[in-house]
mmCIF file of all heavy atoms in Angstrom:
data_model
loop_
_atom_site.group_PDB
_atom_site.id
_atom_site.type_symbol
_atom_site.label_atom_id
_atom_site.label_comp_id
_atom_site.label_asym_id
_atom_site.label_seq_id
_atom_site.Cartn_x
_atom_site.Cartn_y
_atom_site.Cartn_z
ATOM 1 N N GLN A 51 56.141 -46.601 71.437
ATOM 2 C CA GLN A 51 56.635 -46.624 72.828
ATOM 3 C C GLN A 51 57.019 -45.050 73.136
ATOM 4 O O GLN A 51 56.592 -44.424 74.120
ATOM 5 C CB GLN A 51 57.713 -47.538 73.152
ATOM 6 C CG GLN A 51 57.269 -48.962 73.156
ATOM 7 C CD GLN A 51 58.384 -49.920 73.296
ATOM 8 O OE1 GLN A 51 59.519 -49.496 73.525
ATOM 9 N NE2 GLN A 51 57.998 -51.223 73.520
ATOM 10 N N MET A 52 57.861 -44.531 72.301
ATOM 11 C CA MET A 52 58.378 -43.250 72.494
ATOM 12 C C MET A 52 57.271 -42.161 72.519
ATOM 13 O O MET A 52 57.209 -41.228 73.312
ATOM 14 C CB MET A 52 59.428 -42.772 71.366
ATOM 15 C CG MET A 52 60.648 -43.572 71.635
ATOM 16 S SD MET A 52 61.925 -43.064 70.335
ATOM 17 C CE MET A 52 62.264 -41.421 71.130
ATOM 18 N N GLU A 54 54.131 -42.807 73.325
ATOM 19 C CA GLU A 54 53.341 -43.017 74.506
ATOM 20 C C GLU A 54 54.095 -42.355 75.745
ATOM 21 O O GLU A 54 53.410 -41.788 76.615
ATOM 22 C CB GLU A 54 53.064 -44.504 74.744
ATOM 23 C CG GLU A 54 52.183 -44.870 75.855
ATOM 24 C CD GLU A 54 51.889 -46.275 75.955
ATOM 25 O OE1 GLU A 54 52.401 -47.072 75.198
ATOM 26 O OE2 GLU A 54 51.098 -46.732 76.962
ATOM 27 N N LYS A 55 55.365 -42.632 75.820
ATOM 28 C CA LYS A 55 56.114 -41.917 76.852
ATOM 29 C C LYS A 55 55.966 -40.460 76.790
ATOM 30 O O LYS A 55 55.748 -39.710 77.948
ATOM 31 C CB LYS A 55 57.590 -42.266 76.875
ATOM 32 C CG LYS A 55 57.875 -43.648 77.253
ATOM 33 C CD LYS A 55 59.437 -43.948 77.234
ATOM 34 C CE LYS A 55 59.755 -45.314 77.547
ATOM 35 N NZ LYS A 55 61.241 -45.552 77.441
ATOM 36 N N SER A 56 56.075 -39.774 75.630
ATOM 37 C CA SER A 56 55.985 -38.362 75.570
ATOM 38 C C SER A 56 54.588 -37.928 75.932
ATOM 39 O O SER A 56 54.532 -36.780 76.640
ATOM 40 C CB SER A 56 56.246 -38.039 73.950
ATOM 41 O OG SER A 56 56.032 -36.595 73.744
ATOM 42 N N VAL A 59 54.351 -38.010 79.713
ATOM 43 C CA VAL A 59 55.272 -37.005 80.385
ATOM 44 C C VAL A 59 54.379 -35.772 80.222
ATOM 45 O O VAL A 59 54.399 -34.894 81.234
ATOM 46 C CB VAL A 59 56.574 -36.822 79.657
ATOM 47 C CG1 VAL A 59 57.342 -35.651 80.172
ATOM 48 C CG2 VAL A 59 57.329 -38.136 80.049
ATOM 49 N N LEU A 62 51.693 -35.710 82.780
ATOM 50 C CA LEU A 62 52.271 -35.557 84.107
ATOM 51 C C LEU A 62 52.613 -34.143 84.443
ATOM 52 O O LEU A 62 52.397 -33.612 85.425
ATOM 53 C CB LEU A 62 53.559 -36.376 84.186
ATOM 54 C CG LEU A 62 53.285 -37.994 84.421
ATOM 55 C CD1 LEU A 62 54.653 -38.767 84.393
ATOM 56 C CD2 LEU A 62 52.597 -38.278 85.840
ATOM 57 N N LEU A 99 51.370 -41.795 87.126
ATOM 58 C CA LEU A 99 52.731 -42.448 87.523
ATOM 59 C C LEU A 99 52.664 -43.945 87.402
ATOM 60 O O LEU A 99 53.725 -44.571 87.026
ATOM 61 C CB LEU A 99 52.925 -42.009 88.949
ATOM 62 C CG LEU A 99 53.501 -40.564 89.177
ATOM 63 C CD1 LEU A 99 53.628 -40.353 90.579
ATOM 64 C CD2 LEU A 99 54.769 -40.297 88.485
ATOM 65 N N PHE A 102 53.118 -44.734 83.769
ATOM 66 C CA PHE A 102 54.433 -44.481 83.348
ATOM 67 C C PHE A 102 55.476 -45.578 83.783
ATOM 68 O O PHE A 102 56.400 -45.885 83.129
ATOM 69 C CB PHE A 102 54.895 -43.127 83.943
ATOM 70 C CG PHE A 102 56.218 -42.509 83.423
ATOM 71 C CD1 PHE A 102 56.429 -42.082 82.083
ATOM 72 C CD2 PHE A 102 57.318 -42.581 84.248
ATOM 73 C CE1 PHE A 102 57.584 -41.723 81.733
ATOM 74 C CE2 PHE A 102 58.552 -42.122 83.792
ATOM 75 C CZ PHE A 102 58.650 -41.704 82.349
ATOM 76 N N SER A 103 55.154 -46.135 85.026
ATOM 77 C CA SER A 103 56.079 -47.208 85.550
ATOM 78 C C SER A 103 56.018 -48.413 84.717
ATOM 79 O O SER A 103 56.920 -49.333 84.780
ATOM 80 C CB SER A 103 55.749 -47.402 87.014
ATOM 81 O OG SER A 103 54.444 -47.894 87.064
ATOM 82 N N LEU A 105 55.958 -48.681 81.641
ATOM 83 C CA LEU A 105 56.643 -48.556 80.329
ATOM 84 C C LEU A 105 58.057 -49.082 80.418
ATOM 85 O O LEU A 105 58.588 -49.294 81.516
ATOM 86 C CB LEU A 105 56.503 -47.232 79.753
ATOM 87 C CG LEU A 105 55.190 -46.623 79.438
ATOM 88 C CD1 LEU A 105 55.203 -45.207 79.037
ATOM 89 C CD2 LEU A 105 54.441 -47.408 78.469
ATOM 90 N N ASP A 106 58.702 -49.297 79.329
ATOM 91 C CA ASP A 106 60.166 -49.673 79.301
ATOM 92 C C ASP A 106 60.988 -48.424 79.608
ATOM 93 O O ASP A 106 61.192 -47.607 78.583
ATOM 94 C CB ASP A 106 60.552 -50.339 77.931
ATOM 95 C CG ASP A 106 61.931 -50.879 78.024
ATOM 96 O OD1 ASP A 106 62.510 -50.933 79.033
ATOM 97 O OD2 ASP A 106 62.464 -51.260 76.897
ATOM 98 N N LEU A 107 61.487 -48.156 80.774
ATOM 99 C CA LEU A 107 62.134 -46.881 81.226
ATOM 100 C C LEU A 107 63.613 -47.000 81.174
ATOM 101 O O LEU A 107 64.143 -48.147 81.459
ATOM 102 C CB LEU A 107 61.547 -46.504 82.582
ATOM 103 C CG LEU A 107 60.006 -46.222 82.571
ATOM 104 C CD1 LEU A 107 59.659 -45.856 84.085
ATOM 105 C CD2 LEU A 107 59.509 -45.207 81.702
ATOM 106 N N THR A 108 64.202 -45.937 80.776
ATOM 107 C CA THR A 108 65.652 -45.927 80.987
ATOM 108 C C THR A 108 66.078 -45.651 82.476
ATOM 109 O O THR A 108 65.125 -45.309 83.305
ATOM 110 C CB THR A 108 66.229 -44.766 80.093
ATOM 111 O OG1 THR A 108 65.741 -43.508 80.493
ATOM 112 C CG2 THR A 108 65.808 -45.056 78.580
ATOM 113 N N GLU A 109 67.304 -45.619 82.817
ATOM 114 C CA GLU A 109 67.738 -45.290 84.102
ATOM 115 C C GLU A 109 67.360 -43.945 84.545
ATOM 116 O O GLU A 109 67.038 -43.667 85.667
ATOM 117 C CB GLU A 109 69.383 -45.388 84.207
ATOM 118 C CG GLU A 109 69.783 -46.933 84.026
ATOM 119 C CD GLU A 109 69.334 -47.873 85.119
ATOM 120 O OE1 GLU A 109 68.997 -47.293 86.316
ATOM 121 O OE2 GLU A 109 68.969 -49.034 84.990
ATOM 122 N N GLU A 110 67.591 -43.009 83.630
ATOM 123 C CA GLU A 110 67.243 -41.631 83.860
ATOM 124 C C GLU A 110 65.669 -41.441 84.124
ATOM 125 O O GLU A 110 65.303 -40.850 85.126
ATOM 126 C CB GLU A 110 67.637 -40.636 82.655
ATOM 127 C CG GLU A 110 67.329 -39.141 82.910
ATOM 128 C CD GLU A 110 67.815 -38.249 81.751
ATOM 129 O OE1 GLU A 110 68.210 -38.936 80.711
ATOM 130 O OE2 GLU A 110 67.653 -37.120 81.874
ATOM 131 N N GLU A 111 64.960 -42.097 83.268
ATOM 132 C CA GLU A 111 63.489 -42.040 83.367
ATOM 133 C C GLU A 111 63.023 -42.704 84.754
ATOM 134 O O GLU A 111 62.084 -42.238 85.449
ATOM 135 C CB GLU A 111 62.756 -42.579 82.180
ATOM 136 C CG GLU A 111 63.020 -41.838 80.971
ATOM 137 C CD GLU A 111 62.542 -42.627 79.709
ATOM 138 O OE1 GLU A 111 62.416 -43.933 79.844
ATOM 139 O OE2 GLU A 111 62.482 -42.008 78.638
ATOM 140 N N ARG A 112 63.807 -43.920 85.115
ATOM 141 C CA ARG A 112 63.382 -44.563 86.272
ATOM 142 C C ARG A 112 63.758 -43.687 87.511
ATOM 143 O O ARG A 112 62.959 -43.602 88.528
ATOM 144 C CB ARG A 112 64.189 -45.824 86.396
ATOM 145 C CG ARG A 112 64.010 -46.660 87.618
ATOM 146 C CD ARG A 112 62.507 -47.118 87.740
ATOM 147 N NE ARG A 112 62.137 -48.116 86.641
ATOM 148 C CZ ARG A 112 61.006 -48.546 86.384
ATOM 149 N NH1 ARG A 112 59.947 -48.332 87.325
ATOM 150 N NH2 ARG A 112 60.768 -49.299 85.440
ATOM 151 N N GLY A 113 64.912 -42.907 87.492
ATOM 152 C CA GLY A 113 65.258 -42.061 88.541
ATOM 153 C C GLY A 113 64.137 -40.873 88.752
ATOM 154 O O GLY A 113 63.710 -40.589 89.801
ATOM 155 N N LEU A 114 63.688 -40.328 87.613
ATOM 156 C CA LEU A 114 62.701 -39.347 87.597
ATOM 157 C C LEU A 114 61.337 -39.910 88.212
ATOM 158 O O LEU A 114 60.703 -39.189 89.038
ATOM 159 C CB LEU A 114 62.424 -38.799 86.187
ATOM 160 C CG LEU A 114 61.235 -37.708 86.150
ATOM 161 C CD1 LEU A 114 61.663 -36.459 86.960
ATOM 162 C CD2 LEU A 114 60.992 -37.382 84.638
ATOM 163 N N TYR A 115 61.064 -41.032 87.895
ATOM 164 C CA TYR A 115 59.825 -41.658 88.316
ATOM 165 C C TYR A 115 59.824 -41.726 89.912
ATOM 166 O O TYR A 115 59.014 -41.552 90.577
ATOM 167 C CB TYR A 115 59.657 -43.120 87.653
ATOM 168 C CG TYR A 115 58.557 -43.980 88.320
ATOM 169 C CD1 TYR A 115 57.295 -43.660 88.239
ATOM 170 C CD2 TYR A 115 59.013 -45.056 89.130
ATOM 171 C CE1 TYR A 115 56.356 -44.444 88.805
ATOM 172 C CE2 TYR A 115 58.038 -45.798 89.734
ATOM 173 C CZ TYR A 115 56.783 -45.462 89.669
ATOM 174 O OH TYR A 115 55.771 -46.326 90.254
ATOM 175 N N ASN A 116 61.137 -42.380 90.389
ATOM 176 C CA ASN A 116 61.232 -42.342 91.872
ATOM 177 C C ASN A 116 61.051 -41.170 92.558
ATOM 178 O O ASN A 116 60.458 -41.069 93.744
ATOM 179 C CB ASN A 116 62.473 -43.070 92.204
ATOM 180 C CG ASN A 116 62.519 -44.609 91.702
ATOM 181 O OD1 ASN A 116 61.458 -45.265 91.614
ATOM 182 N ND2 ASN A 116 63.734 -45.032 91.276
ATOM 183 N N GLU A 117 61.666 -40.031 92.048
ATOM 184 C CA GLU A 117 61.576 -38.749 92.674
ATOM 185 C C GLU A 117 60.146 -38.247 92.775
ATOM 186 O O GLU A 117 59.714 -37.666 93.731
ATOM 187 C CB GLU A 117 62.461 -37.834 91.945
ATOM 188 C CG GLU A 117 63.951 -38.045 92.150
ATOM 189 C CD GLU A 117 64.810 -36.935 91.434
ATOM 190 O OE1 GLU A 117 64.268 -36.125 90.791
ATOM 191 O OE2 GLU A 117 66.065 -37.003 91.418
ATOM 192 N N LEU A 118 59.441 -38.500 91.563
ATOM 193 C CA LEU A 118 58.009 -38.061 91.488
ATOM 194 C C LEU A 118 57.117 -38.953 92.450
ATOM 195 O O LEU A 118 56.184 -38.316 93.135
ATOM 196 C CB LEU A 118 57.620 -38.206 90.130
ATOM 197 C CG LEU A 118 58.117 -37.320 89.143
ATOM 198 C CD1 LEU A 118 57.599 -37.511 87.704
ATOM 199 C CD2 LEU A 118 57.815 -35.817 89.446
ATOM 200 N N VAL A 119 57.486 -40.253 92.617
ATOM 201 C CA VAL A 119 56.685 -40.927 93.544
ATOM 202 C C VAL A 119 56.900 -40.552 95.041
ATOM 203 O O VAL A 119 55.937 -40.341 95.782
ATOM 204 C CB VAL A 119 57.067 -42.404 93.350
ATOM 205 C CG1 VAL A 119 56.315 -43.316 94.582
ATOM 206 C CG2 VAL A 119 56.556 -42.920 92.034
ATOM 207 N N PHE A 161 61.559 -30.844 87.557
ATOM 208 C CA PHE A 161 60.603 -31.554 86.687
ATOM 209 C C PHE A 161 60.273 -30.912 85.343
ATOM 210 O O PHE A 161 60.283 -31.479 84.309
ATOM 211 C CB PHE A 161 59.296 -32.005 87.441
ATOM 212 C CG PHE A 161 58.378 -32.803 86.684
ATOM 213 C CD1 PHE A 161 58.647 -34.097 86.391
ATOM 214 C CD2 PHE A 161 57.225 -32.200 86.196
ATOM 215 C CE1 PHE A 161 57.833 -34.847 85.621
ATOM 216 C CE2 PHE A 161 56.306 -32.978 85.431
ATOM 217 C CZ PHE A 161 56.577 -34.350 85.051
ATOM 218 N N TYR A 164 63.209 -30.948 83.145
ATOM 219 C CA TYR A 164 63.316 -32.404 82.613
ATOM 220 C C TYR A 164 62.380 -32.669 81.501
ATOM 221 O O TYR A 164 62.670 -33.263 80.337
ATOM 222 C CB TYR A 164 63.148 -33.438 83.687
ATOM 223 C CG TYR A 164 63.293 -34.851 83.148
ATOM 224 C CD1 TYR A 164 64.573 -35.326 82.847
ATOM 225 C CD2 TYR A 164 62.091 -35.564 82.931
ATOM 226 C CE1 TYR A 164 64.569 -36.698 82.348
ATOM 227 C CE2 TYR A 164 62.225 -36.873 82.418
ATOM 228 C CZ TYR A 164 63.447 -37.360 82.037
ATOM 229 O OH TYR A 164 63.495 -38.649 81.582
ATOM 230 N N SER A 167 63.586 -30.939 78.206
ATOM 231 C CA SER A 167 64.700 -31.713 77.601
ATOM 232 C C SER A 167 64.110 -33.036 77.080
ATOM 233 O O SER A 167 64.581 -33.451 76.046
ATOM 234 C CB SER A 167 65.796 -31.869 78.614
ATOM 235 O OG SER A 167 65.378 -32.640 79.727
ATOM 236 N N TYR A 168 63.274 -33.551 77.803
ATOM 237 C CA TYR A 168 62.655 -34.896 77.339
ATOM 238 C C TYR A 168 61.942 -34.875 75.968
ATOM 239 O O TYR A 168 62.060 -35.648 75.145
ATOM 240 C CB TYR A 168 61.730 -35.522 78.468
ATOM 241 C CG TYR A 168 61.299 -36.987 78.113
ATOM 242 C CD1 TYR A 168 62.111 -38.018 78.397
ATOM 243 C CD2 TYR A 168 60.116 -37.130 77.649
ATOM 244 C CE1 TYR A 168 61.811 -39.296 78.079
ATOM 245 C CE2 TYR A 168 59.651 -38.429 77.446
ATOM 246 C CZ TYR A 168 60.460 -39.537 77.581
ATOM 247 O OH TYR A 168 60.070 -40.613 77.267
ATOM 248 N N LYS A 169 61.279 -33.632 75.798
ATOM 249 C CA LYS A 169 60.478 -33.457 74.577
ATOM 250 C C LYS A 169 61.486 -33.337 73.414
ATOM 251 O O LYS A 169 61.260 -33.902 72.347
ATOM 252 C CB LYS A 169 59.646 -32.294 74.644
ATOM 253 C CG LYS A 169 58.372 -32.425 75.484
ATOM 254 C CD LYS A 169 57.575 -31.197 75.526
ATOM 255 C CE LYS A 169 56.281 -31.336 76.426
ATOM 256 N NZ LYS A 169 55.536 -30.134 76.424
ATOM 257 N N LYS A 171 64.515 -34.565 73.315
ATOM 258 C CA LYS A 171 65.087 -35.876 73.032
ATOM 259 C C LYS A 171 64.190 -36.776 72.274
ATOM 260 O O LYS A 171 64.559 -37.538 71.464
ATOM 261 C CB LYS A 171 65.471 -36.633 74.386
ATOM 262 C CG LYS A 171 66.752 -35.893 74.985
ATOM 263 C CD LYS A 171 66.966 -36.702 76.365
ATOM 264 C CE LYS A 171 68.195 -36.005 77.052
ATOM 265 N NZ LYS A 171 68.394 -36.706 78.349
ATOM 266 N N THR A 172 62.848 -36.729 72.675
ATOM 267 C CA THR A 172 61.839 -37.485 72.007
ATOM 268 C C THR A 172 61.636 -37.156 70.518
ATOM 269 O O THR A 172 61.581 -37.996 69.699
ATOM 270 C CB THR A 172 60.485 -37.421 72.771
ATOM 271 O OG1 THR A 172 60.728 -37.704 74.191
ATOM 272 C CG2 THR A 172 59.532 -38.252 72.046
ATOM 273 N N SER A 175 64.575 -38.433 68.542
ATOM 274 C CA SER A 175 64.573 -39.960 68.444
ATOM 275 C C SER A 175 63.526 -40.243 67.335
ATOM 276 O O SER A 175 63.765 -41.112 66.661
ATOM 277 C CB SER A 175 64.201 -40.529 69.771
ATOM 278 O OG SER A 175 65.140 -40.332 70.792
#
Side-chain angles (χ1 to χ4, degrees):
Q51 288 179 356
M52 292 186 67
E54 186 176 0
K55 286 181 181 180
S56 177
V59 170
L62 285 170
L99 285 174
F102 188 72
S103 65
L105 299 178
D106 187 11
L107 303 177
T108 62
E109 291 297 331
E110 183 182 2
E111 293 169 347
R112 179 64 62 181
L114 177 63
Y115 167 72
N116 293 329
E117 290 181 2
L118 291 175
V119 169
F161 180 71
Y164 177 78
S167 62
Y168 186 79
K169 287 181 181 179
K171 292 180 181 180
T172 302
S175 299

